[in-house]
Amino acid sequence: MSISFSGLGSGLPIDEWISTLVQAKQDSIDTLESEQSVLQTKSSTLSSLNSTYTSLQTALTKLIDSLNSPSSDIFSKVTVSSTEDGKDKPAVSATVTSLSTPSEFDITVQQLATQTKFTSDQMDGLKKSSTTMAELGITQNGSFSINGKEISFTTGTTVNELIYKIDNSGAGVNAYIKGGTLVLQNSAYGESEINVTADGAVTDDGQTFAQLFGYDDKSNQVLGANAEYTLNGEAKVSSSNNLTSEDTGIVGLNIKLNAVTSEPVTLSIARTYDESSAEAALEEFVNAFNKVITETDTQTASTGYLYGESNLTQIRDNLRMSVTDAVGNGGLYKTLAEIGITTGSVGASVDADTTQLVFDKDKFKEVFQSDPNAVKELLLGNQQAGTTGIMQKLKEKLEPALDSVSGYFSARKDSLNEEISRQAETIEKRYNELELYEAELQQQFNYMDQMIAQLNQQFSYMQSQLSFMFNTSS
């Protein structure tokens, strides 16, 4: 009977043994990586929720900023009216911005601003835009200048091409043909000359371009005029028919003079309540608030990634209570429900979701049109009385959570990042240990295999010796 030891070279499953032992430690690392993935998902979920809360803060700020300046007041708008409203072609038209000051003034237009025109001598060839310079009598290539800007031409340049060159020369004039003449017109209004100069003869009889066209004759030029008007009894002059706030003294007011007036035109600037802007801002607030509640409830539920975050739940509850609380001011309205923002319609099923706000726009329009000041006081308080509105109280509840240094979101994000970092260090350490462990196992099993191989060799030798001894004895 033969006896043998199986080794690496004779069938022992050393690789499988090593793989099984290594996998046992790998399983613990897999658990750590799974925990790290959960932490990373929790961190990204927190960042997304932070953005949702920030959107609510933005919606609140838009409402509250109405107290800071007229340009950010969403409860009112600035309008301008005129005694010429309704006319097809008003002599004076005006526009205003949200910064315009409520005021009233009279304006009378004595003269509109006009543009300087320089008309050439009449030539039959200027009746067609396809006429070339050669056909106008020019026999040499040349150039001329308008207001210091040089314009070149050839004998083959057409009138159309010449006009294009003039318009794009930067000279501040526009050119066009009219009744066999080439008219140069200042782009700007007012008393400003057009200067046309030319050196060098371009015709056989020695004329320059300016002489040929008659631009050397100043009588062909009609200077533009400044606008003349009276504003609240004060005579004024402008080089343009478009008057800016610098002309009127009213910020954000622009007036366009369209025609001379026979009697004063009265312009009235007023700040009026703006129902549509207020409604849009409140709708934005309601949507942002509902999204905060929905996403917070989803993520803090037992199946959410932020389950167990009691601080977050407390923030949510504080906001929820603040939005349904009554304000203790002396105003007409005490709660949002009185202006159409409720947690559900009257008579709704008890199964209805009362965590969400519902905006009744029809009711809001009714109360806003009835008393816009009372609505504004409910939302923003009364500065003179020293009271605060519901929107300020909501923002006060929200701001600590969103503080960039000590707020809940910032602090919790830092905490999670530290956990993720520590977890990553632990995982890296375990992988390094696993690599060393696998190397040690490989070394130990290789040594064992060598011992088994030696024992097999020795046993084989003993077998051969015993076999020889037994055969000899026989």
Side-chain angles (χ1 to χ4, degrees), residues 141-144 149-154 157 161-162 165:
N141 299 340
S143 65
F144 63 99
K149 300 296 182 180
E150 185 176 359
I151 301 159
S152 60
F153 58 85
T154 67
T157 300
E161 291 169 340
L162 184 67
K165 285 174 175 285

Side-chain angles (χ1 to χ4, degrees), residues 32 35-40 42-43 46 309 411-427:
L32 290 174
E35 292 172 355
Q36 184 187 43
S37 177
V38 171
L39 288 173
Q40 290 170 334
K42 181 179 288 189
S43 178
L46 192 69
E309 294 284 339
R412 189 68 185 99
K413 187 69 181 294
D414 290 343
S415 175
L416 285 172
N417 286 339
E418 289 178 6
E419 288 186 65
I420 293 170
S421 179
R422 286 196 300 270
Q423 197 82 326
E425 291 176 0
T426 301
I427 291 171

Side-chain angles (χ1 to χ4, degrees), residues 17 47 95 99 128 147 164 176 217 241 253 298 341 372 397 409:
W17 294 347
S47 294
T95 60
L99 295 174
K128 295 190 302 181
N147 296 332
Y164 181 83
Y176 59 92
D217 185 357
N241 291 319
L253 171 65
T298 299
I341 301 176
K397 295 288 185 182
F409 287 100

Side-chain angles (χ1 to χ4, degrees), residues 397-411:
K397 295 288 185 182
L398 186 60
E399 282 180 339
L402 293 173
D403 187 276
S404 60
V405 177
S406 59
Y408 163 76
F409 287 100
S410 178

Side-chain angles (χ1 to χ4, degrees), residues 254-291:
N254 294 295
I255 299 174
K256 184 178 182 182
L257 308 180
N258 302 313
V260 173
T261 60
S262 58
E263 58 184 20
V265 175
T266 301
L267 296 176
S268 300
I269 301 175
R271 181 172 289 278
T272 60
Y273 279 100
D274 186 5
E275 174 193 309
S276 59
S277 294
E279 180 185 311
L282 282 174
E283 185 175 23
E284 181 182 344
F285 156 72
V286 168
N287 291 337
F289 183 88
N290 286 342
K291 188 174 182 180

Side-chain angles (χ1 to χ4, degrees), residues 249-410:
I250 304 297
V251 175
L253 171 65
N254 294 295
I255 299 174
K256 184 178 182 182
L257 308 180
N258 302 313
V260 173
T261 60
S262 58
E263 58 184 20
V265 175
T266 301
L267 296 176
S268 300
I269 301 175
R271 181 172 289 278
T272 60
Y273 279 100
D274 186 5
E275 174 193 309
S276 59
S277 294
E279 180 185 311
L282 282 174
E283 185 175 23
E284 181 182 344
F285 156 72
V286 168
N287 291 337
F289 183 88
N290 286 342
K291 188 174 182 180
V292 161
I293 299 301
T294 298
E295 292 191 8
T296 302
D297 288 349
T298 299
Q299 296 304 332
T300 56
S302 58
T303 55
Y305 285 106
L306 300 177
Y307 175 67
E309 294 284 339
S310 58
N311 288 336
L312 179 58
T313 304
Q314 184 62 47
I315 293 169
R316 178 259 190 218
D317 291 343
N318 288 340
L319 291 175
R320 189 70 179 80
M321 286 187 291
S322 296
V323 83
T324 54
D325 277 350
V327 293
N329 58 28
L332 177 62
Y333 304 120
K334 307 295 183 184
T335 66
L336 289 178
E338 294 177 274
I339 66 169
I341 301 176
T342 65
T343 56
S345 58
V346 177
S349 168
V350 293
D351 296 327
D353 184 1
T354 57
T355 65
Q356 297 286 285
L357 294 179
V358 178
F359 188 18
D360 185 341
K361 294 181 182 180
D362 291 335
K363 183 174 182 178
F364 172 76
K365 290 177 181 179
E366 180 184 343
V367 297
F368 192 86
Q369 291 171 359
S370 174
D371 194 339
N373 279 318
V375 173
K376 188 174 182 179
E377 186 173 356
L378 168 69
L379 298 172
L380 306 181
N382 187 321
Q383 289 181 312
Q384 292 181 341
T387 60
T388 56
I390 288 180
M391 295 303 155
Q392 286 106 324
K393 291 185 176 182
L394 271 170
K395 192 175 182 183
E396 288 172 4
K397 295 288 185 182
L398 186 60
E399 282 180 339
L402 293 173
D403 187 276
S404 60
V405 177
S406 59
Y408 163 76
F409 287 100
S410 178

